[in-house]
Amino acid sequence: MRRITHNILQMTGNVIAVAATGVRAGELAVVAARRGESLAQVIRLERERVFLQVFAGTAGVSTGDEVRFLGRQMAVSVSDHLLGRVFDGKGAPRDHGPALQENLVPLNGPAVNPARRLKPTTMIHTGIPMIDVFNSLVESQKISIFTVAGEPYHELLARVALQARVDVILLGGMGLRYDDFLYLRDRLEAGGALGRAALFVHTAADPLVECLMAPDLALAVAEQFALAGRTVLVLLTDMTNFCDALKEMAISMEQVPSNRGYPGDLYSQLAARYEKAVAFEGAGSVTVLSVTTMPGNDVTHPVPDNTGYITEGQYYLYQGRIEPFGSLSRLKQQVNARTRDDHRALMDGMIRLYAAYQETLEKRAMGFSLSRWDEKLLNYGARFEQELMDLSVNIPLFDALDRGWTILADCFQPEEAGLRRDLMEKYWPARNQDHAAHQPEQD
Amino acid sequence: MPRTGTIVGVNGNHLAVEFAGAVTQNEVAYALLDTLRLKAEVVRVRGRRADLQVFEDSSGLRVGDPVEFTGELLSVELGPGLLGQLYEGLQNPLHALAERDGFFLRRGAVLPALDETRRWPFAPAVKPGTVVAAGDTLGTVPEGGFRHRIMLPFHLRGRWRIAEMATPGEFRVRDPIAVVHDDDGHELTLSLSFRWPVKQAIRLYRERLAPTDPLITQIRIIDSLFPVARGGTYCIPGPFGAGKTLLQQLTSRFAQADIVIIAACGERAGEVVETIRDFPRLTDPLTGRTLMERTIVVANTSSMPVAAREASVYTAVTMAEYYRQMGLHVLLLADSTSRWAQAMRERSGRLEEIPGEEAFPAYLESVIADFYERAGCVRLRDGRIGSLTIGGTISPAGGNFDEPVTRATLKAVGAFHALSRERADARCYPAVDPLESWSRYPGVIPADQLRHLRRLLTKAHEIGQMMKVVGEEGTPLADFILYLKGECFDAVYLQQNAFDPVDAATPAARQQCVFALLEDILGARFVLGSRDEAREFFQRLRLHVLELNRAPWESEAFAEQFRRVREFAAGQCEGEGASASVCPLRLALVETPLEAEIYRAPRIKPATKADLTMRPPDETDHP
């Protein structure tokens, strides 16, 4: 069996074909070109022809260059030495630290048996009322921030990472601008979280293939940490870049595109990553929070569309705020019944009133006359946006709930709020006495 | 001596294999990777080269590695012990795999679908000497709440004479229970189970019957407005977040079927987890047993191998047909058929077939139609009636129903439950659009009663649309009241609170009772002086009926609240106090000038033959 060949038959895009035998599907190889060595992965076998995807691209590769097969699959080293470190999209250090070789774990491991998954039950507190109160984030959830370019999504991502009480934070960066990478790294460092974090970052200037591997590295590591009983949060940004890399790859492989140039297996490719979110029976959990920038703010674009079918909800970040409409946490029902007895009712009630406020806004824009009720709604909507929706608001869940009651009491008569009577008696603040109403005999 | 071949190419999960001798299209083969046996299916043969689809990750395979052909088509095992199981797409039991292999699904892992150690008390139903044919009952074993019929294997042709028959006793699924002979002297030993190829429909019945009995799902908008029949088919397309899966979960819990089979096809694993964790703890009110005992889950979730995803719906429908063959009413819920279609698309792409629309293969429509046609209400050869109802969700790209999978499915099904983003955003659950959905089956509410109600909903919607332009002040009071009536019916009847223990499931009789009450009320002419007064009245009416919805059926509280609703409505009615006459709904519908206008000059004229022939030819392409 020849493990080294010098016979490159074909080069198109990032793909080369060489003549070799005994090569395994998915195996790694090293292509030694004049400008340096690059990893490559076997993507197709056809009799004596082996097709490889060259991570660093084929520019500068000569047909006489050496291709050396390594006899192993793509793998990542998993240990506590990862923490505090920064790597690139193929797992090589980006921070002048040593390369890690111990305890190698293959990427894209097998799927978790659904019989050994748990129903999620633990809420992740973020201090952001629009998440904690209205769309709670839950351990083992996979959820995406749907947003558009220019929005402060990395600020949001960093805040969640810093405030969430998790054991390990893993960042998979795809096609990041270099300054975004620096921002995220510095925020984690400044917040004292870098020590429990590992970063796998592909920047826009790095080879395309590495963009596809950055999330796999982060998720493979996450899975191992979770199996060891830790609570892991994985941040993936930006999944739209990941999908665009898939598209570029598929087109150069001459695959038939299905929708706006994206390959037909886009759904499966995304699902294979997101489904790594899991709560293991008797071990830890993996929570995945990703960023999906929607081209043209269009939720029906193939990337957000496929993502929405896979993730357990999304946070719609638009104009610097998490919009209550368009945002959804599918798992909130699993946790918000057990936080405080007024949580669900208050959430529903406030959203209902906020929806009414939106209608009033429309009415006003159309020039229709406004009733007294409409005026109250306008007042309520403004307070709601300022005191709860604004991203700078940073308060624990119970304080946020109390603030919700205060806003309601300031804007409406008790019967107008339309909440359950027992809760009203318990939580409705008495005028000018603030918390006095918490005593039941106050009624 | 197994027939073998040699791998000459690997492309994703597709193998090119050179073989000697004969191969059968769609037969199962195993690619041997060191000690692993990776299951594959022959999908194309060209000369001495067969294309195989591996049901698992193919990495590690080499050119030159051997392949073993089995000669058997992709099959499932049918016998007692299927109920309550959680299978993956190729019928491997996931609980047993978890016990053996731990957290992950190992490649090449195979376990028998049926527990081979469990003993079943078998009671023979025929004596030696009896002549039987495929599908005839040989005996029974108790399973869940049923007598599971042990039948002559379906693939046996012609007549077979029972030579030996076991006496009543306990048997494992592989133990011999009978020996049969055919006329040519072939002898066969039978056990409690046998295999059947998944892509072949089981057709051992005397005749197919029209699906006319409603399958009660206890979801009001379905049973009352867009019913599903036993033996019928329906589909639920909707954008993400519209509640497709929740609707399927509710149906799987509350539908009045004997057996429910859930094919979780390419969707989130978490949803399967909810089912398998909750069902063993929930009681089926019809039988008093746990829901899991009437349920089979086939889970090929989105991160599990794509090729097995396509097989999973066939695995599920084959088991469903098997139970129908025992005279049971079976409901198959497939979530989501779009993922199944996408798996077909991926396979078609790898085979480099000429793509159809959106790269789906050209045979998409016929494959979908074939699948739904496996549903049906049938009279079996011994006169018993069994049914298989199929409901599939669709996840159309961008929530746009004008796409290949939705279009192909709409041609194949008898009911259409369109979920709408608008309704979901407005938190109106279930988000089935009452104006866009349809059903061709009879439901719990007679058709003529429904017709008026549908008019009311359409009308209310039109007024609502108009109100967006002219504002409330530009809407006549009578129209405004009609609008509120529609809104009210929507809020208290079409919407249902899935998290309320009572409201989550509404039995048929209760639906008829409440529907009749609302029909009376909404048909009445109310004395309401102003828009504010009207709004307030309907708001209070709504709260009263919502309270009624929370009162347990056939309870004192229900009767009392029922009376209260009626009195409240009558108090505002035109006429003499509480004894006010309620006029029929259709009168209410023509009471507004706008309505009268529409009656005189319908905006949408029904197309007649004359209309069609008179139009210029370029406009007739949408008949």
Side-chain angles (χ1 to χ4, degrees):
Chain A
M1 191 191 321
R2 209 162 45 141
R3 304 304 299 169
I4 297 178
T5 174
H6 288 87
N7 192 4
I8 298 180
L9 306 170
Q10 177 188 321
M11 288 188 255
T12 40
N14 294 318
V15 178
I16 62 172
V18 301
T21 53
V23 175
R24 291 182 185 273
E27 185 173 341
L28 278 187
V30 173
V31 179
R34 221 172 347 166
R35 55 127 205 245
E37 294 199 335
S38 166
L39 281 177
Q41 187 173 20
V42 176
I43 53 172
R44 184 171 181 174
L45 301 172
E46 220 179 86
R47 293 187 190 272
E48 282 78 50
R49 272 147 61 101
V50 177
F51 292 79
L52 297 125
Q53 198 159 51
V54 185
F55 292 0
T58 52
V61 176
S62 140
T63 50
D65 282 346
E66 178 188 285
V67 177
R68 189 170 74 243
F69 290 96
L70 301 180
R72 63 173 176 87
Q73 312 267 327
M74 186 69 194
V76 59
S77 158
V78 181
S79 71
D80 279 358
H81 295 136
L82 282 173
L83 301 180
R85 298 288 309 275
V86 183
F87 304 90
D88 67 8
K90 56 180 182 296
R94 211 183 242 292
D95 56 0
H96 312 297
L100 300 176
Q101 289 302 329
E102 71 221 289
N103 189 23
L104 287 176
V105 173
L107 298 195
N108 303 323
V112 175
N113 188 331
R116 293 302 285 277
R117 283 176 183 258
L118 283 183
K119 260 176 84 168
T121 49
T122 318
M123 182 174 154
I124 296 182
H125 290 264
T126 65
I128 301 166
M130 292 316 289
I131 295 180
D132 290 355
V133 177
F134 296 98
N135 281 300
S136 315
L137 180 64
V138 183
E139 249 186 60
S140 88
Q141 187 164 22
K142 41 190 179 287
I143 192 162
S144 191
I145 299 169
F146 280 14
T147 185
V148 286
E151 292 291 337
Y153 46 86
H154 282 146
E155 282 85 333
L156 178 61
L157 210 57
R159 264 190 69 190
V160 174
L162 291 176
Q163 302 205 345
R165 257 169 285 159
V166 294
D167 301 329
V168 179
I169 299 165
L170 294 164
L171 172 77
M174 291 143 280
L176 290 189
R177 292 184 310 134
Y178 208 88
D179 34 352
D180 278 339
F181 154 54
L182 292 178
Y183 171 82
L184 284 168
R185 188 195 64 187
D186 296 347
R187 270 304 299 273
L188 288 178
E189 191 158 25
L194 198 58
R196 54 188 164 104
L199 278 54
F200 295 91
V201 176
H202 163 266
T203 68
D206 298 335
L208 186 76
V209 185
E210 295 179 10
C211 179
L212 298 181
M213 270 183 317
D216 293 343
L217 289 166
L219 289 165
V221 172
E223 196 165 78
Q224 293 303 315
F225 277 130
L227 282 172
R230 302 209 209 173
T231 309
V232 186
L233 173 67
V234 180
L235 310 171
L236 299 176
T237 174
D238 169 352
M239 287 305 275
T240 307
N241 291 341
F242 171 81
C243 296
D244 287 339
L246 274 177
K247 173 168 77 173
E248 201 175 321
M249 219 59 112
I251 298 280
S252 70
M253 291 289 293
E254 296 176 2
Q255 283 180 25
V256 181
S258 69
N259 200 349
R260 297 208 217 175
Y262 290 94
D265 64 354
L266 181 65
Y267 176 86
S268 303
Q269 293 281 3
L270 283 171
R273 273 80 191 181
Y274 280 114
E275 282 283 322
K276 292 279 179 194
V278 62
F280 287 116
E281 196 174 358
S285 68
V286 178
T287 309
V288 177
L289 177 65
S290 76
V291 169
T292 304
T293 51
M294 301 186 285
N297 199 14
D298 175 13
V299 77
T300 67
H301 182 278
V303 176
D305 187 49
N306 278 291
T307 305
Y309 280 119
I310 293 163
T311 54
E312 287 151 342
Q314 64 279 338
Y315 296 121
Y316 179 35
L317 177 68
Y318 187 59
Q319 296 185 337
R321 296 193 301 228
I322 298 177
E323 289 286 332
F325 306 108
S327 297
L328 167 76
S329 164
R330 290 171 187 272
L331 300 187
K332 66 181 170 197
Q333 313 286 357
Q334 316 267 17
V335 294
N336 63 10
R338 279 168 303 178
T339 46
R340 204 167 89 177
D341 56 351
D342 59 331
H343 187 163
R344 255 192 207 178
L346 187 69
M347 166 184 89
D348 287 338
M350 291 195 83
I351 288 297
R352 205 170 41 236
L353 288 166
Y354 188 70
Y357 157 73
Q358 297 274 354
E359 275 173 30
T360 300
L361 282 185
E362 267 174 42
K363 231 163 126 181
R364 189 171 65 177
M366 298 283 284
F368 297 137
S369 58
L370 299 182
S371 62
R372 258 184 51 76
W373 172 243
D374 289 325
E375 301 290 348
K376 285 184 171 186
L377 284 172
L378 287 175
N379 181 26
Y380 165 79
R383 296 271 311 263
F384 183 85
E385 291 182 348
Q386 196 180 349
E387 294 172 40
L388 288 174
M389 270 175 82
D390 197 291
L391 261 195
S392 66
V393 178
N394 184 3
I395 47 175
L397 172 67
F398 286 7
D399 291 357
L401 293 174
D402 291 342
R403 186 176 286 188
W405 285 106
T406 309
I407 296 175
L408 286 178
D410 288 351
C411 299
F412 302 108
Q413 294 299 315
E415 64 275 9
E416 289 172 334
L419 283 133
R420 270 197 351 244
R421 188 171 303 142
D422 52 329
L423 293 173
M424 299 290 275
E425 283 165 7
K426 194 167 169 193
Y427 292 105
W428 192 264
R431 285 268 139 194
N432 306 325
Q433 288 177 39
D434 228 25
H435 289 277
H438 282 242
Q439 269 63 49
E441 63 270 17
Q442 271 284 320
D443 183 66
Chain B
M1 175 67 196
R3 291 165 299 126
T4 57
T6 310
I7 295 178
V8 295
V10 182
N11 179 16
N13 67 348
H14 273 234
L15 307 179
V17 175
E18 277 187 351
F19 61 92
V23 302
T24 312
Q25 172 75 318
N26 297 115
E27 78 171 293
V28 171
Y30 288 94
L32 308 185
L33 169 63
D34 306 327
T35 57
L36 296 181
R37 292 163 59 79
L38 305 182
K39 198 170 189 170
E41 183 185 12
V42 176
V43 290
R44 182 166 67 189
V45 182
R46 282 179 173 173
R48 298 256 59 92
R49 205 181 114 144
D51 288 319
L52 272 64
Q53 171 177 247
V54 190
F55 289 114
E56 313 197 47
D57 175 20
S58 66
S59 60
L61 286 173
R62 283 173 302 197
V63 169
D65 280 346
V67 170
E68 262 178 39
F69 294 97
T70 64
E72 194 192 59
L73 300 183
L74 190 65
S75 305
V76 290
E77 186 162 21
L78 302 172
L82 294 170
L83 292 183
Q85 283 284 357
L86 167 67
Y87 290 116
E88 52 86 271
L90 303 175
Q91 217 198 9
N92 280 306
L94 286 170
H95 285 298
L97 279 180
E99 215 143 278
R100 193 187 70 182
D101 296 342
F103 287 122
F104 296 97
L105 295 169
R106 274 200 305 119
R107 271 207 292 175
V110 180
L111 277 178
L114 299 174
D115 184 348
E116 289 179 330
T117 57
R118 180 163 171 190
R119 291 173 182 277
W120 298 91
F122 173 71
V126 289
K127 294 198 173 63
T130 317
V131 175
V132 289
D136 285 351
T137 305
L138 305 177
T140 59
V141 300
E143 183 191 17
F146 314 102
R147 286 201 310 160
H148 183 118
R149 289 169 186 272
I150 305 301
M151 295 171 273
L152 190 70
F154 300 159
H155 54 81
L156 297 184
R157 288 157 180 256
R159 312 194 145 269
W160 295 74
R161 184 178 297 278
I162 309 259
E164 291 169 41
M165 192 72 203
T167 50
E170 303 226 315
F171 295 87
R172 290 168 299 194
V173 284
R174 305 261 182 268
D175 292 340
I177 52 141
V179 176
V180 290
H181 290 284
D182 74 353
D183 295 341
D184 303 332
H186 296 108
E187 183 180 297
L188 264 180
T189 305
L190 305 177
S191 67
L192 293 180
S193 75
F194 59 91
R195 299 185 71 82
W196 179 261
V198 293
K199 290 196 180 160
Q200 216 165 314
I202 298 170
R203 293 216 177 89
L204 296 170
Y205 42 78
R206 194 188 299 158
E207 58 177 335
R208 256 183 87 158
L209 306 171
T212 47
D213 277 352
L215 174 89
I216 306 300
T217 62
Q218 307 209 57
I219 296 165
R220 291 190 291 263
I221 191 166
I222 295 181
D223 295 346
S224 296
L225 262 70
F226 309 109
V228 176
R230 286 186 159 165
T233 51
Y234 68 102
C235 68
I236 311 176
F240 65 83
K244 289 183 297 296
T245 303
L246 183 63
L247 198 56
Q248 290 274 52
Q249 277 176 349
L250 290 171
T251 311
S252 66
R253 276 175 66 174
F254 298 121
Q256 296 178 347
D258 295 325
I259 286 168
V260 178
I261 300 185
I262 301 168
C265 171
E267 290 286 302
R268 304 177 186 96
E271 288 157 0
V272 178
V273 176
E274 278 182 35
T275 302
I276 60 174
R277 299 265 168 191
D278 290 345
F279 273 28
R281 291 186 284 109
L282 295 170
T283 316
D284 178 6
L286 295 182
T287 61
R289 292 164 174 274
T290 71
L291 275 177
M292 205 62 215
E293 284 180 74
R294 68 159 200 181
T295 309
I296 306 173
V297 183
V298 180
N300 199 262
T301 57
S302 56
S303 62
M304 287 157 80
V306 178
R309 192 190 291 169
E310 195 207 337
S312 68
V313 293
Y314 290 109
T315 299
V317 76
T318 307
M319 291 192 284
E321 285 176 332
Y322 174 65
Y323 279 100
R324 172 174 71 181
Q325 206 62 32
M326 296 176 204
L328 297 173
H329 296 288
V330 187
L331 171 63
L332 169 67
L333 299 169
D335 184 18
S336 145
T337 58
S338 293
R339 306 302 163 220
W340 163 52
Q342 285 175 346
M344 264 190 275
R345 174 166 74 184
E346 283 182 36
R347 185 182 73 174
S348 166
R350 290 238 166 71
L351 288 172
E352 294 173 356
E353 292 172 344
I354 294 173
E357 205 175 342
E358 287 181 26
F360 283 106
Y363 45 79
L364 177 76
E365 295 202 356
S366 59
V367 171
I368 288 178
D370 270 356
F371 170 70
Y372 280 102
E373 271 303 299
R374 289 176 76 163
C377 186
V378 300
R379 194 191 309 279
L380 300 166
R381 282 206 299 258
D382 59 4
R384 281 170 304 127
I385 290 181
S387 73
L388 165 54
T389 312
I390 299 182
T393 65
I394 306 174
S395 320
N400 177 6
F401 295 168
D402 189 19
E403 55 94 40
V405 181
T406 313
R407 269 184 314 211
T409 308
L410 280 182
K411 288 199 285 189
V413 296
F416 168 55
H417 301 153
L419 300 189
S420 86
R421 165 93 62 205
E422 288 72 40
R423 277 180 80 80
D425 280 350
R427 310 287 200 271
C428 300
Y429 292 112
V432 176
D433 190 323
L435 301 177
E436 212 178 323
S437 306
W438 49 259
S439 166
R440 295 196 211 141
Y441 303 119
V444 298
I445 309 291
D448 54 332
Q449 262 174 294
L450 270 182
R451 201 162 42 239
H452 299 306
L453 195 103
R454 290 224 165 91
R455 290 278 305 152
L456 172 68
L457 288 174
T458 314
K459 203 67 215 89
H461 176 76
E462 283 168 9
I463 297 169
Q465 292 302 97
M466 191 137 3
M467 228 152 58
K468 280 189 186 153
V469 183
V470 299
E472 268 177 35
E473 54 263 51
T475 310
L477 180 59
D479 277 4
F480 189 66
I481 292 176
L482 208 54
Y483 166 75
L484 289 175
K485 283 179 173 177
E487 288 274 281
C488 182
F489 182 77
D490 187 347
V492 302
Y493 195 83
L494 301 185
Q495 294 172 38
Q496 217 168 328
N497 184 352
F499 298 98
D500 184 277
V502 175
D503 200 27
T506 312
R510 180 176 180 146
Q511 292 188 33
Q512 286 158 346
C513 167
V514 176
F515 189 93
L517 170 73
L518 290 174
E519 195 187 21
D520 275 358
I521 293 176
L522 298 178
R525 197 190 282 261
F526 293 110
V527 188
L528 297 161
S530 68
R531 282 186 206 92
D532 284 341
E533 202 183 317
R535 180 183 286 121
E536 197 190 327
F537 168 73
F538 279 102
Q539 226 154 34
R540 284 167 59 196
L541 176 65
R542 182 190 294 206
L543 289 177
H544 278 300
V545 187
L546 286 179
E547 196 158 319
L548 180 69
N549 285 346
R550 284 193 293 270
W553 176 232
E554 288 175 332
S555 69
E556 194 63 32
F558 181 86
E560 193 173 314
Q561 187 61 23
F562 189 85
R563 206 167 43 242
R564 207 173 292 147
V565 171
R566 196 175 262 287
E567 273 166 19
F568 173 78
Q572 203 72 30
C573 222
E574 199 173 74
E576 321 251 309
S579 65
S581 64
V582 282
C583 51
L585 187 60
R586 59 188 157 282
L587 257 182
L589 279 170
V590 289
E591 71 190 342
T592 76
L594 185 72
E595 179 70 16
E597 185 85 59
I598 287 170
Y599 270 137
R600 276 200 299 276
R603 273 183 301 180
I604 307 158
K605 271 198 224 165
T608 63
K609 240 185 184 153
D611 284 341
L612 289 173
T613 46
M614 275 160 65
R615 269 192 234 148
D618 57 318
E619 283 179 19
T620 54
D621 53 356
H622 301 292

